[in-house]
Amino acid sequence: MTNHDELTLELALLEEELEAEAAQDPLDLISELSDQTQDIAAQRELIDQALVELQGNHEQQLQGLKFFCEHRDPRALPLLLPLLDSSCPILRMSAVYALGRNPHPEALPLLLPKLQQDSNGFVRKALAWTLGNYSSFEVIPALLRALGSDIAAVRLWATSSLVDSSLNNSNQREAVAQQLLLSLRIDSEPAVRSNSAWGLGRLHAYLEPDLALSLGEALVAACIDDADSGVRDDARNALEQLQNPALLSRLQNDWA
């Protein structure tokens, strides 16, 4: 059991490490590597160097992870998986993003429980994004739980990933659409409501008629009643994608 002094020390060290890494939006940590065309030999050298860095010290591992957040190589998988259990949340978060860029079925059983269990919001946000790159039906229940109960940043990415995943899993589209409808109506974060409207616009063509009708009604209501102008705009954009003249006419009549 960790005593009070040990816990205080651990928290202080974590705070210093997070400050040192600036703890910014996780996606901003992905390095912007040169867009210049490189020959095959030079590219292979960069990949080999990044693989070595993944096995080095903390700073080297961060550099290797940043590389594999942009590049794919199957040899990275066995080096990325152990970093999911790192005591450093920045390493865990970066490993999760790298496994989103380098998806592999072996990683999924390790990633799924962490979306619910990891105590760090940045790591869970990374997980919500990464799971959208896995086509397995297993990711959808985990993302639905996150959309219903996690912090706003995680809910935001869960929305996008749910839409991507449900396009590959037809038998789960109804459950995803129902949760997005609920989020559009009640989520406290405007960005999540906006993303829900966008997602519903993408799913509309794949839904049964009754659910598609409910979706259209929800978008009309959001266009008229949502308190946030950004949500209203995104709902209208989604509504226009449905190409339903009757709904658009109703919207014009309600505004008149």
Side-chain angles (χ1 to χ4, degrees):
M1 179 179 295
T2 305
N3 63 35
H4 181 270
D5 291 338
E6 290 173 335
L7 180 57
T8 300
L9 177 60
E10 290 174 2
L11 291 173
L13 290 173
L14 175 58
E15 182 178 359
E16 290 175 4
E17 186 159 67
L18 289 174
E19 289 177 353
E21 297 297 340
Q24 52 192 305
D25 188 311
L27 288 178
D28 292 337
L29 294 176
I30 297 176
S31 61
E32 297 180 0
L33 300 176
S34 173
D35 292 331
Q36 296 178 353
T37 303
Q38 301 180 50
D39 59 41
I40 295 176
Q43 182 69 11
R44 184 179 298 122
E45 183 178 348
L46 287 174
I47 294 174
D48 290 344
Q49 178 183 345
L51 289 169
V52 172
E53 288 173 335
L54 288 179
Q55 303 170 73
N57 60 31
H58 181 270
E59 293 303 318
Q60 291 170 328
Q61 287 175 328
L62 278 176
Q63 291 304 311
L65 287 167
K66 290 177 182 179
F67 182 89
F68 285 111
C69 283
E70 290 287 348
H71 295 81
R72 294 180 177 179
D73 191 291
R75 293 175 295 169
L77 178 70
L79 302 175
L80 294 173
L81 294 180
L83 296 178
L84 293 175
D85 293 320
S86 171
S87 60
C88 172
I90 297 172
L91 284 179
R92 295 201 308 276
M93 174 190 68
S94 301
V96 169
Y97 277 124
L99 286 167
R101 185 65 65 187
N102 294 266
H104 193 283
E106 288 183 24
L108 191 57
L110 301 179
L111 293 169
L112 279 172
K114 291 185 180 298
L115 182 58
Q116 196 167 13
Q117 296 170 2
D118 199 289
S119 61
N120 187 279
F122 283 144
V123 177
R124 298 198 307 279
K125 178 183 176 181
L127 286 159
W129 176 81
T130 285
L131 289 175
N133 294 292
Y134 288 76
S135 59
S136 172
F137 71 94
E138 297 173 273
V139 307
I140 292 181
L143 290 168
L144 286 172
R145 284 193 298 270
L147 180 55
S149 61
D150 214 315
I151 62 175
V154 178
R155 299 199 307 274
L156 183 66
W157 277 111
T159 303
S160 302
S161 292
L162 277 168
V163 174
D164 292 336
S165 298
S166 64
L167 292 176
N168 296 315
N169 294 280
S170 59
N171 62 329
Q172 293 178 297
R173 286 179 196 149
E174 180 176 347
V176 171
Q178 294 285 11
Q179 183 60 54
L180 292 179
L181 282 169
L182 182 62
S183 295
L184 176 60
R185 293 179 180 126
I186 71 170
D187 199 284
S188 61
E189 176 58 44
V192 177
R193 299 199 302 276
S194 286
N195 241 20
S196 297
W198 164 84
L200 289 168
R202 288 187 65 193
L203 289 179
H204 177 267
Y206 303 97
L207 301 176
E208 295 297 325
D210 288 347
L211 186 53
L213 179 61
S214 297
L215 182 158
E217 296 288 342
L219 290 174
V220 170
C223 287
I224 298 169
D225 298 329
D226 199 281
D228 186 270
S229 61
V231 177
R232 295 196 301 271
D233 290 342
D234 286 335
R236 181 177 177 82
N237 289 337
L239 197 59
E240 290 173 346
Q241 293 175 25
L242 307 191
Q243 298 182 339
N244 187 322
L247 289 175
L248 289 173
S249 177
R250 273 191 48 203
L251 188 60
Q252 295 297 334
N253 291 335
D254 285 329
W255 278 346

